[in-house]
Amino acid sequence: MADRQTKYVFVTGGVLSGLGKGIAAASLGTILKARGFLINIQKCDPYLNTDAGTLNPAEHGEVFVTADGAETDLDLGHYERFIDRELDRKSSLMNGRIYAGVIAAERAGKYLGKTVQIIPHVTTEIQRRILATGRGHDVHIVEIGGTVGDYESLAFLEAIRQFKRQVGAENVLYMHLVYLPYLEASKELKTKPAQNTLRDLRAAGISPDVVIARCERPVNQQILDKLMLFSDVEKGGIVPLPTAPTVYEVPLMLEESGLGYFVSKRLGLPKRKPKLREWSNLVAVIKQPDEPVVRIGVVAKYMDHEDTYTSVFEAVKSAAWANKSRAEIVWIDAEKLEDDENLSLLDGLDGIVVPGGFGARGVEGKIRAAAYAMRQNKPYLGLCLGMQTAVIAVARQALGTNEVNSSEIDPKVKHPVIALMADQADVTDKGGTMRLGDYPCVLDKASLSYRIYGSHRIKERHRHRYEFNNAYRERLSAAGLVLAGLSPDKRLVELVELNRHPFFVASQFHPEFKSRPNRPHPLFDSFIKASLRPAGRLAGAAEVAAR
């Protein structure tokens, strides 16, 4: 495998951010994988951060965690869901890591006294990491974050410009996304912003082989011809991409445009017919009539935009599709639930999800959401912090006091049922210091979770510092809390359930990171099954797992 010649596709964007470069890169990966090629994808971000772990999710979206514990940009979640394979830390490359590597090499004397510069030292380091990540694959797709023209992206653009000299022009393809705004006054799409970004890309020394034209309206041939003229791209390389009803339709749209054939031919790959029947079936299910609808409340603290919980939303939706229904996701502001009068916001929901998060803001509202689900027999799925708030809710009822909390929220609380992990006590750095990535878990064979997974041992991804306080195991178990999953050494509680409840399951880990659009995670699948049943009907664990 290591001897094969990897082909490289570099994906850039212009005009504005948020065009969907990640979806386009993932979709190209999907249609090439459907041809039997071994695909890898990498995201290069221009931020000077070392990784995405300390970025504010309200500004940059969720932090996606890989199996090997890397905290990455949310686009890696798209990559994994689309090409259906686990990526690793090498697939996320930020400017901060590049510069740290270059400075470390300089301090170690590896440049033999040379003046260290952006060119060649930084660009060479970028190329080295791209080559290392792509090695052994048929096609390595590299998305360059930001937009062409950003100052912080210049080194990445120069590095990929030079790349043809490294591996040969026949092994490199450049794909550029542009945006065609529609002017309502004149009833026309405008190409001038696209022309400008194409000029900027050529000024950086890169001539695109493919131009993807994002738009909100149909594109006529005159527009395509104009783009062809200004980009100097062959006819098959100009691809209109109107906004799709679902992002999972994008691979089919690109395939229908002929992009899979064009890229394969341009890179000298064998001509193969794509096997996209399963993907087509998925899209057909997604686009079916909207009945029945299952209303799922997500009790959130980061309310600025949906990207903060992308993987959670996608996991909920894919589970609904698998159960021939549509998920109506209702955002519930956790802070509002701190007022008793606002608990009515939870009425009318079929199920409640409490996702992860950090800090004290909104935590009391999440605890109240868990308590509401307990009282109302409402299906509840807690994720990371959502497990901790569920444990707090159970403990307050069991111990008969509100002096129960996490030591993260209240360091002096009388009953810290959630406490800092022992090996975290002396840690002061924030980035990359939590319990991150895949860890094994052993399930109780008498538990609902065991029946849901159908396995005694599982492996799930983590991102947290605080854990269930073992001093409260016995008391909370006596109150009906089932410790359904433990670490192999039995020191850490990974998964809890409630007895005599339709569905009350909460995990310290993040199952949403392993869910796929055509293969939902078992916990989400069972949660949606429970949510689709008539409200308030008690069911045995075996029934929930079997349906």
Side-chain angles (χ1 to χ4, degrees):
M1 185 172 89
D3 294 329
R4 73 178 70 189
Q5 174 58 61
T6 303
K7 307 291 184 176
Y8 295 88
V9 177
F10 294 102
V11 181
T12 55
V15 182
L16 46 80
S17 61
L19 280 183
K21 292 194 306 296
I23 296 296
S27 297
L28 177 61
T30 300
I31 60 179
L32 292 178
K33 182 185 177 183
R35 287 168 162 78
F37 299 120
L38 182 60
I39 306 300
N40 199 33
I41 311 186
Q42 183 178 28
K43 175 72 179 288
C44 293
D45 264 313
Y47 304 122
L48 286 175
N49 303 70
T50 299
D51 60 32
T54 56
L55 295 179
N56 185 346
E59 295 179 18
H60 298 279
E62 77 171 3
V63 175
F64 185 84
V65 179
T66 58
D68 62 349
E71 295 175 288
T72 73
D73 180 83
L74 63 85
D75 275 327
L76 266 77
H78 292 313
Y79 303 162
E80 288 204 1
R81 284 187 289 273
F82 275 69
I83 67 172
D84 194 13
R85 61 165 295 193
E86 290 190 344
L87 303 176
D88 58 31
R89 63 178 63 251
K90 291 187 297 183
S91 283
S92 178
L93 181 59
M94 284 196 168
N95 240 344
R97 192 177 299 276
I98 294 294
Y99 281 94
V102 170
I103 292 170
E106 186 273 333
R107 291 290 81 190
K110 293 184 179 179
Y111 296 126
L112 300 176
K114 295 285 187 182
T115 302
V116 180
Q117 298 176 292
I118 301 297
I119 304 170
H121 301 100
V122 171
T123 52
T124 298
E125 179 66 9
I126 292 170
Q127 293 164 2
R128 183 187 71 80
R129 289 177 182 259
I130 291 174
L131 284 166
T133 307
R135 188 172 295 119
H137 300 88
D138 293 317
V139 181
H140 183 50
I141 301 171
V142 182
E143 178 193 351
I144 307 299
T147 58
V148 170
D150 294 343
Y151 287 117
E152 57 264 36
S153 299
L154 294 177
F156 280 111
L157 293 178
E158 175 61 18
I160 68 173
R161 181 195 70 79
Q162 298 174 9
F163 214 81
K164 289 194 291 189
R165 299 172 65 89
Q166 286 256 12
V167 299
E170 70 278 8
N171 298 313
V172 175
L173 181 143
Y174 299 106
M175 186 169 90
H176 190 57
L177 267 74
V178 301
Y179 182 64
L180 305 178
Y182 180 80
L183 293 187
E184 186 65 38
S186 58
K187 308 293 183 185
E188 62 179 338
L189 290 167
K190 305 299 290 186
T191 64
K192 184 60 71 176
Q195 294 175 37
N196 289 340
T197 185
L198 287 165
R199 184 185 63 232
D200 291 342
L201 188 64
R202 287 198 301 270
I206 298 172
S207 295
D209 302 285
V210 174
V211 173
I212 305 290
R214 288 281 290 107
C215 49
E216 308 298 332
R217 302 293 180 98
V219 181
N220 60 39
Q221 190 60 46
Q222 183 180 0
I223 294 289
L224 297 179
D225 290 343
K226 185 179 288 189
L227 287 176
M228 200 183 315
L229 176 66
F230 277 92
S231 64
D232 199 25
V233 169
E234 297 176 32
K235 183 176 181 180
I238 303 291
V239 180
L241 186 59
T243 299
T246 168
V247 294
Y248 299 113
E249 192 173 5
V250 174
L252 302 181
M253 296 168 67
L254 294 182
E255 180 60 34
E256 186 177 356
S257 75
L259 183 64
Y261 171 76
F262 183 88
V263 170
S264 297
K265 181 180 178 182
R266 172 66 181 76
L267 290 174
L269 294 167
K271 184 178 179 180
R272 297 174 182 171
K273 186 177 180 179
K275 297 179 180 179
L276 287 165
R277 176 174 295 180
E278 184 179 358
W279 203 266
S280 297
N281 291 341
L282 168 68
V283 172
V285 169
I286 294 172
K287 296 173 73 173
Q288 280 177 352
D290 295 340
E291 298 294 340
V293 173
V294 57
R295 299 187 77 240
I296 302 300
V298 177
V299 181
K301 61 183 294 181
Y302 309 119
M303 302 289 291
D304 296 84
H305 52 81
E306 292 185 7
D307 284 351
T308 53
Y309 301 101
T310 295
S311 292
V312 174
F313 287 0
E314 294 305 314
V316 169
K317 290 189 287 188
S318 64
W321 298 328
N323 286 280
K324 295 181 172 58
S325 62
R326 178 178 68 85
E328 178 187 339
I329 296 175
V330 182
W331 283 59
I332 309 291
D333 188 338
E335 287 187 274
K336 289 184 177 180
L337 296 183
E338 295 175 8
D339 186 338
D340 288 339
E341 293 183 358
N342 289 328
L343 286 176
S344 60
L345 293 172
L346 301 173
D347 295 342
L349 298 175
D350 297 310
I352 297 171
V353 176
V354 177
F358 295 90
R361 185 175 63 83
V363 166
E364 192 62 34
K366 294 191 173 195
I367 296 169
R368 292 189 173 201
Y372 175 94
M374 290 164 55
R375 291 193 307 270
Q376 301 294 327
N377 288 320
K378 189 82 69 177
Y380 177 93
L381 181 61
L383 311 171
C384 196
L385 178 61
M387 186 196 99
Q388 297 175 3
T389 54
V391 169
I392 294 168
V394 172
R396 286 182 178 181
Q397 179 175 296
L399 302 177
T401 176
N402 281 336
E403 281 294 306
V404 178
N405 216 317
S406 164
S407 60
E408 176 188 14
I409 310 306
D410 184 355
K412 297 180 180 179
V413 71
K414 183 177 180 180
H415 296 287
V417 293
I418 304 296
L420 189 66
M421 297 162 58
D423 59 0
Q424 290 282 325
D426 298 322
V427 173
T428 56
D429 285 349
K430 298 299 183 186
T433 57
M434 292 181 282
R435 190 176 182 221
L436 293 166
D438 272 0
Y439 284 88
C441 171
V442 179
L443 300 180
D444 182 347
K445 290 186 177 180
S447 68
L448 168 60
S449 297
Y450 173 77
R451 285 184 280 275
I452 289 173
Y453 276 94
S455 177
H456 182 46
R457 293 179 69 93
I458 61 173
K459 188 179 288 186
E460 295 282 2
R461 298 185 198 178
H462 292 249
R463 185 177 184 248
H464 61 99
R465 299 181 194 280
Y466 289 78
E467 296 275 0
F468 185 106
N469 188 340
N470 290 329
Y472 292 88
R473 279 194 188 188
E474 188 173 334
R475 277 177 282 182
L476 296 188
S477 294
L481 188 69
V482 178
L483 308 184
L486 303 176
S487 59
D489 61 7
K490 297 183 172 21
R491 291 178 56 245
L492 304 176
V493 176
E494 302 276 25
L495 198 59
V496 299
E497 307 168 0
L498 264 187
N499 275 328
R500 299 296 299 163
H501 192 284
F503 188 96
F504 193 99
V505 179
S507 65
Q508 186 58 78
F509 47 80
H510 288 269
E512 67 270 23
F513 292 150
K514 289 196 170 185
S515 191
R516 300 290 184 259
N518 51 2
R519 193 176 64 258
H521 190 282
L523 286 181
F524 282 90
D525 183 53
S526 294
F527 167 69
I528 291 296
K529 281 180 167 63
S531 300
L532 282 167
R533 289 198 309 276
R537 174 188 163 200
L538 287 176
E543 181 185 352
V544 174
R547 287 180 57 118

